[in-house]
Amino acid sequence: MTFVMTLHTVPPTNRNPVCFLLATISGIAIPLFFMVSGFFLIKKNGDWTYSKQKILNIFKFPLFFTIPIAIINRIFLPIDWLDINAWLTDLIGPFLQKSNLLWVLWYLGAMCLIYLLLPAIHNLHKKFGSKFLILATISFATICNVCFSLNITIGFEQRIIQTFRIQNWILYFLIGATVHAFLPKIRESFYRPSKSHSLYIVIPIASAIIYSFFLKYVSYPHGAEVEYNFGSAMCMAYSLATFICLLLYKPGVFISKWIKRLSRLFLPAFVLDIFVIYAVNKIIPETVLELEEYTYLIKLITVWIGTQSLSYLIMKVPVGKWIFRI
């Protein structure tokens, strides 16, 4: 959630080392989201009934935002109330990154595609077990690496909206599912609370720094920005190392309490941070931020606090919980 806010707030400019580091290490926000989804969904009874209900809930959710915005636009802008294409763009556009404020909801469109595939993934997993997960993960990792190579040569994915870069999202979904299947063996092999607890913090930090250097010297010189690196082996390694370390790390009571509190705010924060950023930009213009790199840190902290506070207030209201429940 914090990584997503960083990606939305801090520009990954090479000329600003602080901004570049923050933006690049936050690049695994989306891979982690799909890995978490794969980790939890692989153990559910993912039949067509379950997938259909989830897809219906996903389609219902944006309407609470898109319909009011569409009506306001038609009141204040010269848009024909009877233009069917305009209505379809306003209501379905967020799934396809075709919205000025709700383009972030493209990931819900990608999740709909994942849910369409979920019954087949479950059936193959039941039939072939973890062998299917390993083979499928290796296959998609190979496909994604080819796509990444095309990104730094011909800008392949720049022609494809994020919703339809589905090979990346399936890959990270499968990685999460595979980690779940092998978690007992992973814990048996790597979990040493007395000796290696600090490694679960050090390894993700080291991986983040290495990944940032990789982007700076390998992909960015070729114009492949953060969102075009999800198919790279480096992004897979960074995501996997971070994910496993988070699973093995055993936080204390204080941190666990805050993780539980903040995790309930994930979806509203994901949607509302764009509105908070828009408001902050009115107070702190971009021209001011460009003068001093550390002002972006102030902006990020302000956006984080504002988004979490707004999300908390909304989730305290019963209707808020209902709207943000998918």
Side-chain angles (χ1 to χ4, degrees):
M1 182 167 58
T2 300
F3 279 166
V4 167
M5 289 187 208
T6 305
L7 287 174
H8 291 167
T9 307
V10 181
T13 171
N14 252 320
R15 294 168 300 183
N16 188 322
V18 175
C19 290
F20 188 80
L21 180 64
L22 283 172
T24 51
I25 67 173
S26 301
I28 58 168
I30 305 304
L32 283 178
F33 170 77
F34 284 102
M35 289 170 74
V36 170
S37 299
F39 185 87
F40 286 113
L41 288 177
I42 197 64
K43 62 184 179 181
K44 288 186 176 289
N45 182 23
D47 56 13
W48 284 110
T49 302
Y50 177 79
S51 289
K52 182 180 69 175
Q53 186 59 52
K54 283 293 184 180
I55 291 172
L56 288 175
N57 288 344
I58 287 175
F59 269 91
K60 174 194 71 177
F61 167 71
L63 295 179
F64 294 102
F65 303 93
T66 54
I67 290 177
I69 291 174
I71 292 173
I72 291 171
N73 285 339
R74 278 154 183 76
I75 292 173
F76 294 100
L77 299 176
I79 302 176
D80 187 354
W81 285 79
L82 300 179
D83 188 336
I84 302 299
N85 289 330
W87 277 106
L88 289 174
T89 300
D90 287 338
L91 300 182
I92 302 177
F95 292 119
L96 306 173
Q97 288 185 289
K98 295 185 181 295
S99 173
N100 291 332
L101 288 173
L102 296 173
W103 55 269
V104 295
L105 296 184
W106 67 264
Y107 87 95
L108 290 179
M111 276 307 300
C112 286
L113 298 178
I114 293 289
Y115 278 119
L116 286 174
L117 295 171
L118 187 61
I121 292 173
H122 267 282
N123 289 335
L124 289 168
H125 182 225
K126 286 180 181 178
K127 188 173 182 179
F128 299 105
S130 57
K131 292 179 180 178
F132 159 71
L133 293 177
I134 295 172
L135 181 60
T137 301
I138 294 173
S139 300
F140 274 94
T142 304
I143 293 170
C144 290
N145 261 295
V146 171
C147 292
F148 170 71
S149 298
L150 294 174
N151 286 344
I152 60 175
T153 52
I154 61 173
F156 172 64
E157 287 185 333
Q158 293 181 25
R159 300 174 177 86
I160 305 171
I161 62 173
Q162 293 214 64
T163 309
F164 296 137
R165 297 174 199 168
I166 191 64
Q167 74 279 355
N168 295 321
W169 320 138
I170 294 174
L171 167 66
Y172 287 104
F173 183 91
L174 289 170
I175 291 176
T178 304
V179 170
H180 181 272
F182 287 92
L183 186 58
K185 292 184 179 179
I186 293 171
R187 284 195 170 131
E188 183 181 340
S189 302
F190 296 104
Y191 185 62
R192 301 289 186 274
S194 59
K195 297 181 180 180
S196 48
H197 207 62
S198 59
L199 287 177
Y200 305 142
I201 300 174
V202 173
I203 289 174
I205 293 174
S207 301
I209 295 171
I210 294 170
Y211 182 63
S212 183
F213 274 93
F214 168 77
L215 263 64
K216 184 173 183 178
Y217 294 107
V218 176
S219 62
Y220 260 75
H222 297 86
E225 298 178 4
V226 174
E227 64 179 275
Y228 305 119
N229 283 268
F230 295 143
S232 68
M234 287 299 296
C235 187
M236 297 176 206
Y238 174 29
S239 303
L240 183 59
T242 302
F243 191 64
I244 289 177
C245 286
L246 287 171
L247 286 171
L248 296 177
Y249 182 76
K250 299 294 183 183
V253 176
F254 178 79
I255 295 177
S256 297
K257 181 174 68 174
W258 277 100
I259 288 173
K260 289 180 180 179
R261 287 179 177 177
L262 291 174
S263 64
R264 301 188 186 103
L265 308 180
F266 172 78
L267 187 56
F270 197 94
V271 176
L272 298 173
D273 80 313
I274 294 298
F275 295 90
V276 176
I277 291 170
Y278 180 79
V280 172
N281 284 342
K282 293 294 185 181
I283 302 171
I284 312 175
E286 202 70 21
T287 52
V288 175
L289 293 171
E290 290 173 352
L291 296 176
E292 174 59 58
E293 59 191 37
Y294 297 105
T295 52
Y296 277 108
L297 293 176
I298 298 173
K299 180 181 177 182
L300 176 59
I301 293 170
T302 303
V303 168
W304 196 93
I305 294 174
T307 302
Q308 301 290 27
S309 301
L310 183 59
S311 300
Y312 176 78
L313 291 174
I314 288 175
M315 294 302 283
K316 290 291 286 184
V317 181
V319 68
K321 291 181 180 179
W322 182 73
I323 290 173
F324 285 99
R325 191 178 186 88
I326 293 181

